[in-house]
C-alpha cells in the first residue's frame, strides 16, 4: 500500500505528456474508474465587471463535464464581484452561478471585494445569495450571517466530505461557529474555503513585495477591522485544531497566482493548503483518485481550451499541474497526541 501521507507535491511526470507538443490542444487525461472531481473557481471579479462571457463559459464547461469528469462539488474562492457597490456586477454573478443551481452542489466564499472591507458588511452578497436560495437542497447544511459563511456535505467513492466556506478574515464569532459545525462532523473529511490565506507573509510595503516577498500563510488582513483574523490567526485559532482537515483552498492573490504548501495540524494531520487566482478563465479541477489516495490538480481554461503550461508570473508548468497524496482514513482526535 502506498504511504498515505507525503509532504511534497508531485509534479506530473504526466505533465510532460499532457503539455508536450501543441499545449493549446492539451486536454484532460481520461478519468480513471472510481475517480471524482471538485472544481475550485478563483476570483471571478474581472468577469463580473467586464467579461460576463468568461464567467458563463466557466459555468458551461462545468455543466458539460459533470459526468465526464465526475464533478461532485463546485467551490467559489471569493471575490465573486469586483465592486461590491455595483448592482450590475452582482446581476452578472447571480445569472452565471444560477446555471449551476439545481444541477450540482456548490458553495461560495465571500472575498474582500464582496463586502465593505473595513466593516465586513456583506449585505450585498447576502442579498444576491441568501441562505433561502439553498434551503431546499439536502447537501446544504447551514449558514451563519445569512450565508456569508456556510457549510455543505457531499459523498463520492465511499468518501464523505464536509466543506466549510468562511468569509475573508473571519472574526472570532465566525470561527466559533465553524468549530461547532466541524466538531459535529468528525467522521467527514474536511475542506475549508476562505478567500485570503496564502501570499506575501508580511503586509507588502510596495508593489514589488506582492511578487517577490517570501510567501506562505499571511500575517496581515484586509477586512473586519480589529475584529478580523489574519490567515495565520485563523489557522492557529481554528483550522489547525481539527484532525479531519485535509485541505484549505483560497484565492485573493493574483500576483502570487499559484501556491501550494503543506502544514501539520495539532493532531498530526497533514493539511494541503492551495491558493489559485488566475485570469483568462483558468480554474482548478481537483481530481480525487481513491485507489491511490491521491489528488491530481489540473488548471484549465475553457476560454483558451488548454491546460495551463505556465504564466508570466508563474512560468513553471508543475506549479499549475501536479498531484499530492492524502490520508487513507481521516485522522481521529482521540488517537492523536495531546498537544
Amino acid at each position: 500500500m502506498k504511504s498515505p501521507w507525503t509532504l511534497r507535491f508531485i509534479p506530473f511526470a504526466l505533465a510532460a505528456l499532457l503539455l508536450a507538443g501543441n499545449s493549446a490542444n492539451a486536454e484532460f487525461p481520461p478519468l480513471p474508474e472510481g475517480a471524482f472531481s471538485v472544481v475550485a473557481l478563483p476570483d471571478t471579479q474581472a468577469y463580473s465587471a467586464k467579461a460576463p462571457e468568461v464567467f458563463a463559459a466557466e459555468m458551461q464547461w462545468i455543466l458539460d463535464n459533470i459526468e465526464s469528469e465526475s464533478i461532485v462539488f463546485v467551490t467559489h474562492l471569493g471575490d465573486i464581484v469586483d465592486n461590491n457597490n455595483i448592482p450590475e456586477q452582482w446581476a452578472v454573478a447571480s445569472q452565471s452561478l444560477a446555471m449551476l443551481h439545481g444541477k450540482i452542489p456548490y458553495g461560495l466564499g465571500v472575498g474582500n471585494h464582496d463586502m465593505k472591507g473595513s466593516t465586513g458588511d456583506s449585505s450585498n452578497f447576502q442579498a444576491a445569495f441568501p441562505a433561502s436560495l439553498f434551503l431546499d437542497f439536502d447537501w446544504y447544511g447551514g449558514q451563519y450571517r445569512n450565508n456569508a459563511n456556510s457549510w455543505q456535505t457531499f459523498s463520492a467513492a465511499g468518501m464523505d466530505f464536509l466543506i466549510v466556506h468562511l468569509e475573508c478574515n473571519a472574526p472570532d464569532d465566525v470561527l466559533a461557529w465553524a468549530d461547532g459545525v466541524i466538531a459535529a462532523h468528525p467522521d467527514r473529511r474536511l475542506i475549508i474555503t476562505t478567500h485570503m490565506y496564502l501570499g506575501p507573509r508580511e503586509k507588502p510595503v510596495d508593489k514589488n513585495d506582492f511578487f517577490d516577498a517570501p510567501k506562505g500563510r499571511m500575517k496581515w488582513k484586509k477586512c473586519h477591522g480589529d475584529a478580523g483574523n489574519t490567515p495565520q490567526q485563523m489557522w492557529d485559532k481554528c483550522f489547525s485544531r481539527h484532525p479531519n482537515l485535509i485541505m484549505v483552498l483560497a484565492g485573493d492573490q493574483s500576483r502570487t497566482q499559484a501556491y501550494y504548501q503543506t502544514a501539520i495540524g495539532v493532531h498530526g494531520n497533514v493539511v494541503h493548503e492551495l491558493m489559485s487566482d488566475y485570469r483568462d478563465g483558468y480554474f482548478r479541477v481537483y481530481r480525487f483518485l481513491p485507489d491511490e489516495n491521491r489528488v491530481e490538480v489540473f488548471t484549465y481554461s475553457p476560454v483558451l481550451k488548454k491546460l495551463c503550461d505556465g504564466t508570466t508570473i508563474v512560468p513553471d508548468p508543475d506549479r499549475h499541474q501536479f498531484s499530492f497524496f492524502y490520508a487513507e482514513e481521516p485522522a481521529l482526535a482521540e488517537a492523536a497526541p495531546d498537544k
Side-chain angles (χ1 to χ4, degrees), residues 69-143:
E69 292 301 321
S70 189
I71 302 170
V72 297
F73 196 89
V74 178
T75 177
H76 197 301
L77 306 181
D79 277 1
I80 299 168
V81 299
D82 189 50
N83 189 325
N84 170 63
N85 295 315
I86 298 180
E88 290 79 7
Q89 294 187 16
W90 287 113
V92 168
S94 296
Q95 183 176 15
S96 295
L97 288 162
M99 294 172 66
L100 304 182
H101 208 68
K103 306 289 180 59
I104 189 169
Y106 68 100
L108 306 172
V110 176
N112 55 295
H113 283 258
D114 303 324
M115 63 171 77
K116 296 177 182 177
S118 59
T119 63
D121 177 3
S122 60
S123 55
N124 289 337
F125 166 86
Q126 295 170 40
F129 300 101
S132 59
L133 194 63
F134 300 93
L135 294 180
D136 290 338
F137 297 115
D138 58 6
W139 47 262
Y140 184 76
Q143 53 78 34

Side-chain angles (χ1 to χ4, degrees), residues 46 219 258 306 311:
K219 300 178 181 179
K306 59 176 284 191
T311 66

Side-chain angles (χ1 to χ4, degrees), residues 82-275:
D82 189 50
N83 189 325
N84 170 63
N85 295 315
I86 298 180
E88 290 79 7
Q89 294 187 16
W90 287 113
V92 168
S94 296
Q95 183 176 15
S96 295
L97 288 162
M99 294 172 66
L100 304 182
H101 208 68
K103 306 289 180 59
I104 189 169
Y106 68 100
L108 306 172
V110 176
N112 55 295
H113 283 258
D114 303 324
M115 63 171 77
K116 296 177 182 177
S118 59
T119 63
D121 177 3
S122 60
S123 55
N124 289 337
F125 166 86
Q126 295 170 40
F129 300 101
S132 59
L133 194 63
F134 300 93
L135 294 180
D136 290 338
F137 297 115
D138 58 6
W139 47 262
Y140 184 76
Q143 53 78 34
Y144 185 70
R145 296 185 64 221
N146 194 17
N147 208 44
N149 306 275
S150 63
W151 63 276
Q152 299 80 22
T153 59
F154 63 92
S155 298
M159 299 167 65
D160 298 321
F161 290 85
L162 167 69
I163 182 163
V164 178
H165 291 81
L166 298 179
E167 62 191 288
C168 186
N169 301 135
D172 286 349
D173 63 316
V174 175
L175 297 183
W177 168 82
D179 282 336
V181 169
I182 297 166
H185 299 86
D187 297 327
R188 287 184 174 268
R189 299 170 193 267
L190 171 63
I191 299 172
I192 294 175
T193 289
T194 190
H195 178 63
M196 179 185 180
Y197 195 69
L198 299 174
R201 286 198 296 263
E202 304 297 335
K203 186 173 184 178
V205 175
D206 60 50
K207 64 180 182 181
N208 290 330
D209 290 341
F210 283 99
F211 296 98
D212 303 330
K215 304 291 178 69
R217 201 180 298 121
M218 291 184 279
K219 300 178 181 179
W220 51 287
K221 57 188 175 182
K222 298 179 178 181
C223 301
H224 289 286
D226 291 341
N229 282 298
T230 69
Q232 184 62 51
Q233 289 172 320
M234 294 171 73
W235 167 262
D236 293 337
K237 293 179 179 182
C238 178
F239 300 179
S240 66
R241 300 175 182 273
H242 294 287
N244 55 335
L245 178 61
I246 62 167
M247 295 170 67
V248 179
L249 303 178
D252 180 57
Q253 290 293 307
S254 60
R255 288 166 285 192
T256 296
Q257 198 170 72
Y259 198 83
Y260 167 75
Q261 67 179 29
T262 56
I264 307 296
V266 298
H267 297 285
N269 52 309
V270 173
V271 180
H272 301 275
E273 301 178 313
L274 304 107
M275 75 80 54

